[in-house]
Amino acid sequence: MTADAERKMQFLYALRSRGVTDHAVLTAMEKVDRADFIRHYFTDRAYDDMPLPIACGQTISQPSVVGLMTQALQVSNRDKVLEIGTGSGYQAAVLSQLARRVYTCDRHRRLVIEAREIFEAQGLANITAFVADGSHGLPDQAPFDRILVTAAAEDPPGPLLAQLKIGGIMVVPVGQSDTVQSLIRVTRTEDGFDYDELRSVRFVPLVEGLGRDA
Ligand code: SAH
């Protein structure tokens, strides 16, 4: 086996051993090469199960957390998905393998432009990336079957709850920034919302307004 194939096998093994067991999610993560989303630095750490720095002081999430969040979202190929926090674009690319359509937004223009370049180069035609403050959601494209927030909010943002279809699922890290947050799954029912606490996580904060580069 080549060194590259062996690293990828270890990558998948680490995902499984940390609880990513959904076959479709593992297949999606096998297809999307994380190294493509890490520019310049740290490419040799692309298959390690750790978050890594990207531009604008942000991070690409830990692969096992990407896997667990994607799994918790229960995406099907009929779903229109909204991701808040494009960052490197890696999570959106994983979602694009499972969903019908993915909308993703970030408050930093530079991140959105760089992610778009990768989506285009890889022919990921079902992703649309926007520069926007995702705490307001994307009213023009709402409602969504699934919403994934990849930055920590103090509470699940009201506009995002409002943009979820009945039967829809939102996964969001909730808690004060700089501490450990809880990953919450919210399911919209006919009469309201059901909340499930999944595990503890650590994300950069959801910040209101656009970045200075936007
Ligand atoms: N999903 C990304 C990692 C996200 S890091 C990946 O796969 O690489 C969190 C991202 O959320 C950062 O890029 C940050 O700029 C963005 N963010 C924070 N607050 C935001 C807001 N209000 N609206 C949109 N994006 C936001």
Side-chain angles (χ1 to χ4, degrees):
M1 198 185 292
T2 64
D4 196 40
E6 187 160 335
R7 273 200 296 182
K8 285 191 181 158
M9 209 178 81
Q10 273 167 9
F11 176 75
L12 289 172
Y13 177 78
L15 291 175
R16 275 195 215 96
S17 68
R18 301 209 160 112
V20 184
T21 50
D22 185 294
H23 186 68
V25 174
L26 286 167
T27 304
M29 293 185 73
E30 190 176 359
K31 276 202 202 143
V32 178
D33 194 341
R34 189 168 182 252
D36 294 341
F37 295 84
I38 299 165
R39 295 194 175 218
H40 316 303
Y41 311 108
F42 302 107
T43 41
D44 57 328
R45 313 306 297 266
Y47 307 115
D48 292 356
D49 193 28
M50 53 165 66
L52 293 170
I54 56 171
C56 304
Q58 305 302 316
T59 52
I60 176 171
S61 311
Q62 188 176 346
S64 59
V65 172
V66 170
L68 291 168
M69 287 174 94
T70 308
Q71 185 166 284
L73 207 58
Q74 299 169 15
V75 182
S76 91
N77 59 11
R78 294 180 303 278
D79 288 342
K80 182 164 85 169
V81 182
L82 172 63
E83 180 200 22
I84 309 299
T86 311
S88 66
Y90 176 63
Q91 171 77 74
V94 171
L95 290 169
S96 79
Q97 307 294 315
L98 301 162
R100 176 169 58 84
R101 176 113 227 121
V102 179
Y103 294 91
T104 181
C105 69
D106 205 287
R107 55 190 292 278
H108 288 292
R109 180 174 301 277
R110 174 174 170 190
L111 294 175
V112 170
I113 289 171
E114 291 185 354
R116 272 186 198 144
E117 284 169 10
I118 306 172
F119 301 150
E120 205 164 302
Q122 301 197 348
L124 302 175
N126 65 341
I127 310 177
T128 311
F130 293 92
V131 182
D133 175 356
S135 42
H136 306 298
L138 281 183
D140 290 354
Q141 307 297 339
F144 297 96
D145 300 287
R146 300 289 185 265
I147 299 179
L148 181 58
V149 186
T150 63
E154 286 191 19
D155 293 300
L160 296 184
L161 291 171
Q163 290 172 29
L164 198 56
K165 282 188 194 167
I166 292 174
I169 297 175
M170 169 159 79
V171 172
V172 51
V174 170
Q176 302 289 328
S177 54
D178 297 337
T179 58
V180 172
Q181 303 120 11
S182 285
L183 190 63
I184 306 284
R185 174 167 51 197
V186 185
T187 309
R188 183 163 199 173
T189 65
E190 295 276 355
D191 342 290
F193 297 94
D194 286 343
Y195 294 84
D196 257 319
E197 202 173 322
L198 303 176
R199 53 170 277 153
S200 43
V201 282
R202 184 176 282 226
F203 273 86
V204 298
L206 188 73
V207 178
E208 291 222 5
L210 296 180
R212 257 179 288 161
D213 65 336

